[in-house]
mmCIF file of all heavy atoms in Angstrom:
data_model
loop_
_atom_site.group_PDB
_atom_site.id
_atom_site.type_symbol
_atom_site.label_atom_id
_atom_site.label_comp_id
_atom_site.label_asym_id
_atom_site.label_seq_id
_atom_site.Cartn_x
_atom_site.Cartn_y
_atom_site.Cartn_z
ATOM 1 N N PRO A 1 108.295 110.368 80.661
ATOM 2 C CA PRO A 1 107.679 109.217 79.992
ATOM 3 C C PRO A 1 106.289 108.856 80.500
ATOM 4 O O PRO A 1 105.457 108.365 79.736
ATOM 5 C CB PRO A 1 108.680 108.083 80.272
ATOM 6 C CG PRO A 1 109.982 108.772 80.502
ATOM 7 C CD PRO A 1 109.635 110.060 81.171
ATOM 8 N N SER A 2 106.008 109.112 81.778
ATOM 9 C CA SER A 2 104.724 108.712 82.363
ATOM 10 C C SER A 2 103.639 109.767 82.205
ATOM 11 O O SER A 2 102.510 109.561 82.644
ATOM 12 C CB SER A 2 104.911 108.403 83.855
ATOM 13 O OG SER A 2 105.368 109.560 84.547
ATOM 14 N N ASN A 3 103.961 110.903 81.576
ATOM 15 C CA ASN A 3 103.016 112.008 81.494
ATOM 16 C C ASN A 3 101.837 111.643 80.590
ATOM 17 O O ASN A 3 102.019 111.214 79.453
ATOM 18 C CB ASN A 3 103.714 113.252 80.962
ATOM 19 C CG ASN A 3 102.942 114.526 81.264
ATOM 20 O OD1 ASN A 3 102.070 114.547 82.130
ATOM 21 N ND2 ASN A 3 103.271 115.583 80.554
ATOM 22 N N VAL A 4 100.629 111.808 81.101
ATOM 23 C CA VAL A 4 99.408 111.474 80.358
ATOM 24 C C VAL A 4 98.571 112.735 80.201
ATOM 25 O O VAL A 4 98.377 113.485 81.159
ATOM 26 C CB VAL A 4 98.593 110.391 81.096
ATOM 27 C CG1 VAL A 4 97.271 110.136 80.386
ATOM 28 C CG2 VAL A 4 99.402 109.099 81.210
ATOM 29 N N TYR A 5 98.086 112.949 78.980
ATOM 30 C CA TYR A 5 97.173 114.077 78.734
ATOM 31 C C TYR A 5 95.748 113.542 78.664
ATOM 32 O O TYR A 5 95.354 112.899 77.701
ATOM 33 C CB TYR A 5 97.545 114.782 77.435
ATOM 34 C CG TYR A 5 96.602 115.907 77.058
ATOM 35 C CD1 TYR A 5 96.342 116.939 77.949
ATOM 36 C CD2 TYR A 5 95.974 115.931 75.814
ATOM 37 C CE1 TYR A 5 95.486 117.974 77.615
ATOM 38 C CE2 TYR A 5 95.121 116.966 75.465
ATOM 39 C CZ TYR A 5 94.876 117.979 76.374
ATOM 40 O OH TYR A 5 94.024 119.003 76.042
ATOM 41 N N ASN A 6 94.996 113.788 79.726
ATOM 42 C CA ASN A 6 93.605 113.349 79.771
ATOM 43 C C ASN A 6 92.828 114.303 80.673
ATOM 44 O O ASN A 6 92.616 114.022 81.849
ATOM 45 C CB ASN A 6 93.496 111.909 80.286
ATOM 46 C CG ASN A 6 92.092 111.347 80.158
ATOM 47 O OD1 ASN A 6 91.141 112.093 79.892
ATOM 48 N ND2 ASN A 6 91.942 110.049 80.324
ATOM 49 N N PRO A 7 92.410 115.456 80.132
ATOM 50 C CA PRO A 7 91.762 116.475 80.964
ATOM 51 C C PRO A 7 90.396 116.068 81.497
ATOM 52 O O PRO A 7 89.793 116.814 82.272
ATOM 53 C CB PRO A 7 91.655 117.678 80.006
ATOM 54 C CG PRO A 7 91.715 117.106 78.641
ATOM 55 C CD PRO A 7 92.568 115.895 78.736
ATOM 56 N N ARG A 8 89.889 114.904 81.103
ATOM 57 C CA ARG A 8 88.616 114.415 81.636
ATOM 58 C C ARG A 8 88.807 113.459 82.818
ATOM 59 O O ARG A 8 87.834 113.044 83.441
ATOM 60 C CB ARG A 8 87.821 113.715 80.536
ATOM 61 C CG ARG A 8 87.387 114.650 79.412
ATOM 62 C CD ARG A 8 86.474 113.956 78.425
ATOM 63 N NE ARG A 8 86.019 114.874 77.392
ATOM 64 C CZ ARG A 8 85.152 114.544 76.438
ATOM 65 N NH1 ARG A 8 84.666 113.311 76.395
ATOM 66 N NH2 ARG A 8 84.791 115.432 75.534
ATOM 67 N N ASN A 9 90.057 113.094 83.084
ATOM 68 C CA ASN A 9 90.355 112.177 84.186
ATOM 69 C C ASN A 9 90.983 112.968 85.338
ATOM 70 O O ASN A 9 92.079 113.501 85.186
ATOM 71 C CB ASN A 9 91.310 111.084 83.713
ATOM 72 C CG ASN A 9 91.553 110.020 84.774
ATOM 73 O OD1 ASN A 9 91.506 110.283 85.974
ATOM 74 N ND2 ASN A 9 91.828 108.804 84.338
ATOM 75 N N PRO A 10 90.284 113.053 86.494
ATOM 76 C CA PRO A 10 90.816 113.856 87.620
ATOM 77 C C PRO A 10 92.190 113.415 88.102
ATOM 78 O O PRO A 10 92.921 114.207 88.690
ATOM 79 C CB PRO A 10 89.761 113.657 88.716
ATOM 80 C CG PRO A 10 88.529 113.225 87.999
ATOM 81 C CD PRO A 10 88.988 112.445 86.817
ATOM 82 N N GLY A 11 92.563 112.158 87.840
ATOM 83 C CA GLY A 11 93.873 111.680 88.263
ATOM 84 C C GLY A 11 95.014 112.270 87.479
ATOM 85 O O GLY A 11 96.169 112.236 87.922
ATOM 86 N N TYR A 12 94.720 112.840 86.299
ATOM 87 C CA TYR A 12 95.759 113.434 85.460
ATOM 88 C C TYR A 12 95.643 114.946 85.372
ATOM 89 O O TYR A 12 96.291 115.585 84.542
ATOM 90 C CB TYR A 12 95.717 112.821 84.059
ATOM 91 C CG TYR A 12 95.972 111.337 84.052
ATOM 92 C CD1 TYR A 12 94.980 110.444 83.655
ATOM 93 C CD2 TYR A 12 97.195 110.825 84.464
ATOM 94 C CE1 TYR A 12 95.207 109.079 83.661
ATOM 95 C CE2 TYR A 12 97.436 109.464 84.470
ATOM 96 C CZ TYR A 12 96.433 108.588 84.065
ATOM 97 O OH TYR A 12 96.666 107.239 84.081
ATOM 98 N N ILE A 13 94.782 115.525 86.210
ATOM 99 C CA ILE A 13 94.690 116.981 86.326
ATOM 100 C C ILE A 13 95.384 117.381 87.613
ATOM 101 O O ILE A 13 94.939 117.028 88.711
ATOM 102 C CB ILE A 13 93.224 117.456 86.341
ATOM 103 C CG1 ILE A 13 92.518 117.051 85.046
ATOM 104 C CG2 ILE A 13 93.156 118.969 86.544
ATOM 105 C CD1 ILE A 13 91.027 117.324 85.055
ATOM 106 N N TYR A 14 96.493 118.100 87.502
ATOM 107 C CA TYR A 14 97.309 118.428 88.668
ATOM 108 C C TYR A 14 97.000 119.842 89.143
ATOM 109 O O TYR A 14 97.099 120.808 88.391
ATOM 110 C CB TYR A 14 98.794 118.269 88.342
ATOM 111 C CG TYR A 14 99.151 116.848 87.973
ATOM 112 C CD1 TYR A 14 99.650 116.538 86.713
ATOM 113 C CD2 TYR A 14 98.940 115.813 88.867
ATOM 114 C CE1 TYR A 14 99.968 115.237 86.364
ATOM 115 C CE2 TYR A 14 99.253 114.504 88.529
ATOM 116 C CZ TYR A 14 99.757 114.214 87.283
ATOM 117 O OH TYR A 14 100.053 112.922 86.949
ATOM 118 N N THR A 15 96.611 119.935 90.404
ATOM 119 C CA THR A 15 96.164 121.207 90.975
ATOM 120 C C THR A 15 97.218 121.874 91.856
ATOM 121 O O THR A 15 97.022 123.011 92.288
ATOM 122 C CB THR A 15 94.888 120.979 91.800
ATOM 123 O OG1 THR A 15 95.125 119.914 92.750
ATOM 124 C CG2 THR A 15 93.728 120.569 90.902
ATOM 125 N N ALA A 16 98.308 121.169 92.148
ATOM 126 C CA ALA A 16 99.372 121.739 92.980
ATOM 127 C C ALA A 16 100.681 121.025 92.659
ATOM 128 O O ALA A 16 100.682 119.829 92.326
ATOM 129 C CB ALA A 16 99.046 121.592 94.468
ATOM 130 N N CYS A 17 101.792 121.754 92.746
ATOM 131 C CA CYS A 17 103.099 121.133 92.528
ATOM 132 C C CYS A 17 104.152 121.861 93.358
ATOM 133 O O CYS A 17 103.985 123.032 93.712
ATOM 134 C CB CYS A 17 103.479 121.117 91.057
ATOM 135 S SG CYS A 17 103.642 122.732 90.270
ATOM 136 N N HIS A 18 105.228 121.151 93.670
ATOM 137 C CA HIS A 18 106.318 121.737 94.455
ATOM 138 C C HIS A 18 107.581 120.909 94.235
ATOM 139 O O HIS A 18 107.524 119.682 94.150
ATOM 140 C CB HIS A 18 105.977 121.729 95.945
ATOM 141 C CG HIS A 18 106.542 122.903 96.693
ATOM 142 N ND1 HIS A 18 107.902 123.160 96.753
ATOM 143 C CD2 HIS A 18 105.951 123.891 97.395
ATOM 144 C CE1 HIS A 18 108.103 124.247 97.479
ATOM 145 N NE2 HIS A 18 106.946 124.718 97.869
ATOM 146 N N PHE A 19 108.732 121.598 94.131
ATOM 147 C CA PHE A 19 110.016 120.924 93.958
ATOM 148 C C PHE A 19 110.730 120.734 95.297
ATOM 149 O O PHE A 19 110.601 121.558 96.204
ATOM 150 C CB PHE A 19 110.941 121.738 93.057
ATOM 151 C CG PHE A 19 110.889 121.370 91.608
ATOM 152 C CD1 PHE A 19 110.277 122.211 90.695
ATOM 153 C CD2 PHE A 19 111.456 120.188 91.150
ATOM 154 C CE1 PHE A 19 110.237 121.885 89.352
ATOM 155 C CE2 PHE A 19 111.418 119.855 89.806
ATOM 156 C CZ PHE A 19 110.811 120.698 88.904
ATOM 157 N N LEU A 20 111.491 119.639 95.362
ATOM 158 C CA LEU A 20 112.454 119.398 96.438
ATOM 159 C C LEU A 20 113.812 119.118 95.810
ATOM 160 O O LEU A 20 113.896 118.516 94.723
ATOM 161 C CB LEU A 20 112.049 118.171 97.265
ATOM 162 C CG LEU A 20 110.933 118.306 98.287
ATOM 163 C CD1 LEU A 20 110.503 116.916 98.762
ATOM 164 C CD2 LEU A 20 111.383 119.154 99.466
ATOM 165 N N HIS A 21 114.877 119.544 96.491
ATOM 166 C CA HIS A 21 116.223 119.194 96.058
ATOM 167 C C HIS A 21 116.998 118.690 97.272
ATOM 168 O O HIS A 21 117.146 119.411 98.258
ATOM 169 C CB HIS A 21 116.950 120.388 95.444
ATOM 170 C CG HIS A 21 118.340 120.074 95.011
ATOM 171 N ND1 HIS A 21 119.464 120.559 95.656
ATOM 172 C CD2 HIS A 21 118.802 119.281 94.006
ATOM 173 C CE1 HIS A 21 120.544 120.109 95.049
ATOM 174 N NE2 HIS A 21 120.181 119.339 94.052
ATOM 175 N N PHE A 22 117.455 117.426 97.191
ATOM 176 C CA PHE A 22 118.252 116.841 98.268
ATOM 177 C C PHE A 22 119.721 117.134 97.995
ATOM 178 O O PHE A 22 120.285 116.668 96.998
ATOM 179 C CB PHE A 22 118.005 115.335 98.363
ATOM 180 C CG PHE A 22 116.655 114.976 98.918
ATOM 181 C CD1 PHE A 22 115.555 114.844 98.083
ATOM 182 C CD2 PHE A 22 116.488 114.785 100.285
ATOM 183 C CE1 PHE A 22 114.308 114.516 98.597
ATOM 184 C CE2 PHE A 22 115.236 114.461 100.803
ATOM 185 C CZ PHE A 22 114.149 114.324 99.962
ATOM 186 N N GLU A 23 120.305 117.919 98.889
ATOM 187 C CA GLU A 23 121.659 118.427 98.691
ATOM 188 C C GLU A 23 122.684 117.307 98.557
ATOM 189 O O GLU A 23 123.508 117.305 97.637
ATOM 190 C CB GLU A 23 122.011 119.338 99.878
ATOM 191 C CG GLU A 23 123.340 120.024 99.780
ATOM 192 C CD GLU A 23 123.589 120.895 101.004
ATOM 193 O OE1 GLU A 23 123.708 120.352 102.119
ATOM 194 O OE2 GLU A 23 123.654 122.118 100.825
ATOM 195 N N GLN A 24 122.649 116.327 99.465
ATOM 196 C CA GLN A 24 123.674 115.284 99.489
ATOM 197 C C GLN A 24 123.644 114.425 98.229
ATOM 198 O O GLN A 24 124.684 114.138 97.627
ATOM 199 C CB GLN A 24 123.493 114.392 100.726
ATOM 200 C CG GLN A 24 124.569 113.328 100.876
ATOM 201 C CD GLN A 24 124.425 112.569 102.190
ATOM 202 O OE1 GLN A 24 123.425 112.680 102.876
ATOM 203 N NE2 GLN A 24 125.443 111.796 102.540
ATOM 204 N N ALA A 25 122.452 114.023 97.809
ATOM 205 C CA ALA A 25 122.318 113.155 96.639
ATOM 206 C C ALA A 25 122.209 113.942 95.337
ATOM 207 O O ALA A 25 122.182 113.341 94.258
ATOM 208 C CB ALA A 25 121.093 112.260 96.802
ATOM 209 N N ASP A 26 122.140 115.282 95.430
ATOM 210 C CA ASP A 26 121.880 116.135 94.273
ATOM 211 C C ASP A 26 120.669 115.604 93.501
ATOM 212 O O ASP A 26 120.694 115.447 92.283
ATOM 213 C CB ASP A 26 123.099 116.210 93.355
ATOM 214 C CG ASP A 26 122.961 117.320 92.299
ATOM 215 O OD1 ASP A 26 122.192 118.283 92.545
ATOM 216 O OD2 ASP A 26 123.594 117.201 91.234
ATOM 217 N N GLN A 27 119.607 115.309 94.257
ATOM 218 C CA GLN A 27 118.411 114.685 93.696
ATOM 219 C C GLN A 27 117.247 115.663 93.656
ATOM 220 O O GLN A 27 116.891 116.255 94.674
ATOM 221 C CB GLN A 27 118.023 113.460 94.544
ATOM 222 C CG GLN A 27 116.794 112.721 94.059
ATOM 223 C CD GLN A 27 117.007 112.107 92.692
ATOM 224 O OE1 GLN A 27 117.807 111.205 92.527
ATOM 225 N NE2 GLN A 27 116.307 112.625 91.696
ATOM 226 N N TYR A 28 116.662 115.818 92.466
ATOM 227 C CA TYR A 28 115.495 116.679 92.288
ATOM 228 C C TYR A 28 114.233 115.822 92.301
ATOM 229 O O TYR A 28 114.142 114.824 91.578
ATOM 230 C CB TYR A 28 115.562 117.439 90.967
ATOM 231 C CG TYR A 28 116.645 118.489 90.910
ATOM 232 C CD1 TYR A 28 117.920 118.175 90.459
ATOM 233 C CD2 TYR A 28 116.390 119.799 91.308
ATOM 234 C CE1 TYR A 28 118.920 119.139 90.403
ATOM 235 C CE2 TYR A 28 117.388 120.768 91.259
ATOM 236 C CZ TYR A 28 118.650 120.429 90.807
ATOM 237 O OH TYR A 28 119.628 121.385 90.751
ATOM 238 N N ILE A 29 113.264 116.225 93.122
ATOM 239 C CA ILE A 29 111.978 115.543 93.224
ATOM 240 C C ILE A 29 110.881 116.576 92.965
ATOM 241 O O ILE A 29 110.892 117.663 93.554
ATOM 242 C CB ILE A 29 111.755 114.927 94.619
ATOM 243 C CG1 ILE A 29 112.898 113.978 94.993
ATOM 244 C CG2 ILE A 29 110.398 114.227 94.700
ATOM 245 C CD1 ILE A 29 112.950 112.713 94.185
ATOM 246 N N LEU A 30 109.939 116.225 92.082
ATOM 247 C CA LEU A 30 108.769 117.074 91.856
ATOM 248 C C LEU A 30 107.550 116.398 92.465
ATOM 249 O O LEU A 30 107.236 115.253 92.138
ATOM 250 C CB LEU A 30 108.545 117.300 90.362
ATOM 251 C CG LEU A 30 107.314 118.133 89.984
ATOM 252 C CD1 LEU A 30 107.380 119.526 90.590
ATOM 253 C CD2 LEU A 30 107.148 118.197 88.471
ATOM 254 N N LEU A 31 106.888 117.104 93.379
ATOM 255 C CA LEU A 31 105.662 116.614 94.008
ATOM 256 C C LEU A 31 104.465 117.158 93.246
ATOM 257 O O LEU A 31 104.429 118.342 92.891
ATOM 258 C CB LEU A 31 105.590 117.087 95.462
ATOM 259 C CG LEU A 31 106.683 116.597 96.394
ATOM 260 C CD1 LEU A 31 106.840 117.548 97.571
ATOM 261 C CD2 LEU A 31 106.361 115.199 96.901
ATOM 262 N N LEU A 32 103.461 116.302 93.029
ATOM 263 C CA LEU A 32 102.269 116.685 92.282
ATOM 264 C C LEU A 32 101.022 116.267 93.057
ATOM 265 O O LEU A 32 100.921 115.123 93.517
ATOM 266 C CB LEU A 32 102.248 116.003 90.910
ATOM 267 C CG LEU A 32 103.368 116.384 89.933
ATOM 268 C CD1 LEU A 32 103.427 115.378 88.792
ATOM 269 C CD2 LEU A 32 103.153 117.786 89.394
ATOM 270 N N GLY A 33 100.081 117.179 93.194
ATOM 271 C CA GLY A 33 98.787 116.874 93.794
ATOM 272 C C GLY A 33 97.712 116.940 92.737
ATOM 273 O O GLY A 33 97.696 117.872 91.924
ATOM 274 N N SER A 34 96.799 115.971 92.716
ATOM 275 C CA SER A 34 95.830 115.880 91.636
ATOM 276 C C SER A 34 94.426 116.251 92.079
ATOM 277 O O SER A 34 94.137 116.412 93.265
ATOM 278 C CB SER A 34 95.823 114.469 91.045
ATOM 279 O OG SER A 34 95.167 113.581 91.922
ATOM 280 N N GLN A 35 93.538 116.322 91.098
ATOM 281 C CA GLN A 35 92.148 116.685 91.352
ATOM 282 C C GLN A 35 91.396 115.571 92.083
ATOM 283 O O GLN A 35 90.358 115.816 92.685
ATOM 284 C CB GLN A 35 91.454 117.020 90.028
ATOM 285 C CG GLN A 35 90.213 117.879 90.171
ATOM 286 C CD GLN A 35 89.684 118.322 88.825
ATOM 287 O OE1 GLN A 35 89.328 117.505 87.985
ATOM 288 N NE2 GLN A 35 89.636 119.631 88.605
ATOM 289 N N ASN A 36 91.903 114.330 92.029
ATOM 290 C CA ASN A 36 91.234 113.234 92.740
ATOM 291 C C ASN A 36 91.900 112.906 94.077
ATOM 292 O O ASN A 36 91.634 111.865 94.667
ATOM 293 C CB ASN A 36 91.162 111.983 91.864
ATOM 294 C CG ASN A 36 92.515 111.299 91.690
ATOM 295 O OD1 ASN A 36 93.558 111.864 92.039
ATOM 296 N ND2 ASN A 36 92.523 110.097 91.144
ATOM 297 N N GLY A 37 92.762 113.794 94.549
ATOM 298 C CA GLY A 37 93.366 113.646 95.863
ATOM 299 C C GLY A 37 94.664 112.872 95.914
ATOM 300 O O GLY A 37 95.251 112.711 96.988
#
């Protein structure tokens, strides 16, 4: 729902991503790094 398409805004250009999965909670987390840090 929060995904924004704005290729002119560095805050919405993601340059790195990585998944985490917490075994006990069966929780998936996606980490995102952007062009504005």
Side-chain angles (χ1 to χ4, degrees):
S2 61
N3 198 18
V4 175
Y5 176 55
N6 188 348
R8 295 186 177 184
N9 186 330
Y12 299 115
I13 300 173
Y14 298 118
T15 52
C17 62
H18 213 300
F19 267 107
L20 282 168
H21 179 251
F22 288 88
E23 184 180 65
Q24 183 174 12
D26 192 24
Q27 180 64 66
Y28 291 90
I29 304 291
L30 178 60
L31 297 156
L32 296 165
S34 75
Q35 201 173 60
N36 72 348

